[in-house]
Amino acid sequence: MGFMDDIKKAGKELSRSLKDIKSAPFVKEMCRTTANMYRLGWDERNGGNISYLLNENEVAEYLDLNKVIRFIPLMGVNAAEFDVTPLTGKIFIVTGTGKYFKNVEDDPETNLGIVRIVKGGAELLWGYKDGGRTTSELPAHLMCHMARLKADPENRVVMHSHPTNTLAMNYVHELDEKKFTHTLWEMCTECIAVFPDGVGILPWMLCGTDSIGVATAKKMEEFRLVIWAMHGIYGAGRTMDETFGLIETVEKAAQIYMLTAHLPRVNTIKDEDMVKLAELFGLKYRKDFLNL
Ligand code: 13P
Ligand code: ZN
């Protein structure tokens, strides 16, 4: 038997020993999360996108990492200037551009992709079966991952969504980080405990570009939540649950605001009470976002 036959045989043996990717916990998590986000009304049509940094050894249980399906160039950025060096070789599972969150669960192989980051783009290892590509927001996601990994080496998830009440609040509340965070903190007792670092806010900007990516990543140096005014929200966290929970808590607070903003306010959570809670939990919180 020749050398090439040996290689082919080894390849066949490897694919026989690989587990079914659709049963991988990270694929299931993406399916569950996108379905939840859709059902909560946060992600109409193709709205929203998720990128999830995977552990290479875990992915290798399901995929032959030497088999690259195709190269996907990064869109909306100047590839020569866009430096992804800190993420080179890292593997992510990412929602596809133009794909509907409501369809991910039924057909993950078309609506999701597993990619390895290389200079100028991504190598597709699995998914986007219909010839699709990574979310148009991938540059922003990658920049956010780089910023969050610097702040917290355990960060794995970046999530973008269009939650209804958060968006509604953008139209009727001043878009000032201190005032916006303070209002959210006032809406539910546990808000300050869930996002003690507050919420960053960017003005309306053109999405899908490197400039919004740079601006979001800059905010992510200090916030795990960043609002894109009149568009949606970005969240980042160590796990899918943490990231989802951050956005979910902001959205809940925004809902209470939208249900009550037009009514006379009779009661409120006082700043001194928030301090008591933050101190009980031993939290590092944005004291400058309170009016003490
Ligand atoms: P994609 O379909 O490219 O992921 O874009 C959706 C979106 O929410 C843009 O901000
Ligand atoms: Zn969006």
Side-chain angles (χ1 to χ4, degrees):
M1 216 164 52
F3 177 66
M4 283 315 288
D5 292 325
D6 283 347
I7 300 238
K8 271 189 207 150
K9 191 165 162 250
K12 265 190 197 149
E13 266 161 25
L14 178 64
S15 48
R16 254 201 303 274
S17 62
L18 292 172
K19 296 195 246 172
D20 175 14
I21 184 81
K22 290 194 187 117
S23 69
F26 47 83
V27 172
K28 287 188 171 172
E29 245 185 319
M30 289 291 279
C31 289
R32 248 196 337 264
T33 308
T34 47
N36 275 333
M37 292 168 84
Y38 172 69
R39 274 193 286 272
L40 287 164
W42 300 356
D43 295 280
E44 74 294 341
R45 200 176 183 275
N46 65 309
N49 23 74
I50 306 177
S51 59
Y52 183 8
L53 174 58
L54 303 176
N55 177 320
E56 185 178 318
N57 294 333
E58 202 184 342
V59 184
E61 293 176 27
Y62 302 89
L63 296 177
D64 176 357
L65 300 184
N66 295 312
K67 243 193 223 162
V68 175
I69 302 170
R70 59 191 154 90
F71 174 75
I72 304 176
L74 276 178
M75 309 296 278
V77 293
N78 179 341
E81 280 172 22
F82 186 62
D83 184 14
V84 283
T85 317
L87 297 179
T88 304
K90 300 252 188 266
I91 298 175
F92 291 86
I93 186 163
V94 186
T95 51
T97 185
K99 300 299 189 228
Y100 293 27
F101 274 20
K102 77 181 177 68
N103 296 338
V104 176
E105 205 165 31
D106 280 345
D107 188 1
E109 198 171 351
T110 301
N111 296 292
L112 302 175
I114 295 180
V115 295
R116 180 167 47 215
I117 304 305
V118 291
K119 197 170 168 32
E123 292 176 335
L124 181 64
L125 301 173
W126 175 82
Y128 307 141
K129 205 173 64 180
D130 61 351
R133 287 186 287 110
T134 46
T135 169
S136 60
E137 304 287 4
L138 189 66
H141 278 247
L142 295 182
M143 287 182 232
C144 289
H145 277 286
M146 289 191 272
R148 284 314 304 166
L149 283 167
K150 264 195 215 158
D152 176 7
E154 309 265 324
N155 193 86
R156 291 198 162 264
V157 180
V158 171
M159 189 181 280
H160 165 61
S161 180
H162 305 162
T164 314
N165 294 285
T166 307
L167 213 44
M169 192 170 157
N170 281 203
Y171 290 88
V172 297
H173 193 286
E174 235 180 294
L175 293 172
D176 169 89
E177 282 164 355
K178 173 179 171 167
K179 290 181 186 161
F180 201 94
T181 300
H182 187 268
T183 300
L184 292 173
W185 281 351
E186 278 181 318
M187 293 299 117
C188 318
T189 296
E190 300 208 340
C191 275
I192 193 169
V194 175
F195 51 96
D197 38 353
V199 176
I201 302 180
L202 287 181
W204 189 94
M205 288 176 81
L206 188 62
C207 57
T209 61
D210 50 357
S211 40
I212 199 168
V214 169
T216 313
K218 184 95 200 95
K219 291 282 178 200
M220 285 252 171
E221 289 171 9
E222 53 175 324
F223 298 105
R224 288 172 300 155
L225 287 158
V226 179
I227 283 176
W228 282 7
M230 278 79 76
H231 178 145
I233 191 164
Y234 263 72
R238 294 179 171 192
T239 64
M240 200 68 85
D241 267 356
E242 181 194 341
T243 316
F244 183 91
L246 283 170
I247 296 180
E248 188 182 26
T249 308
V250 166
E251 173 61 3
K252 174 69 175 270
Q255 184 178 14
I256 296 168
Y257 178 78
M258 293 310 296
L259 285 170
T260 55
H262 56 293
L263 302 171
R265 178 91 67 95
V266 179
N267 301 304
T268 198
I269 302 169
K270 295 190 204 74
D271 284 25
E272 303 88 87
D273 297 333
M274 292 192 222
V275 171
K276 281 184 210 151
L277 191 94
E279 281 172 4
L280 179 70
F281 284 101
L283 299 169
K284 201 169 151 271
Y285 65 103
R286 287 291 299 250
K287 278 199 182 74
D288 56 327
F289 281 4
L290 291 178
N291 301 310
L292 295 167

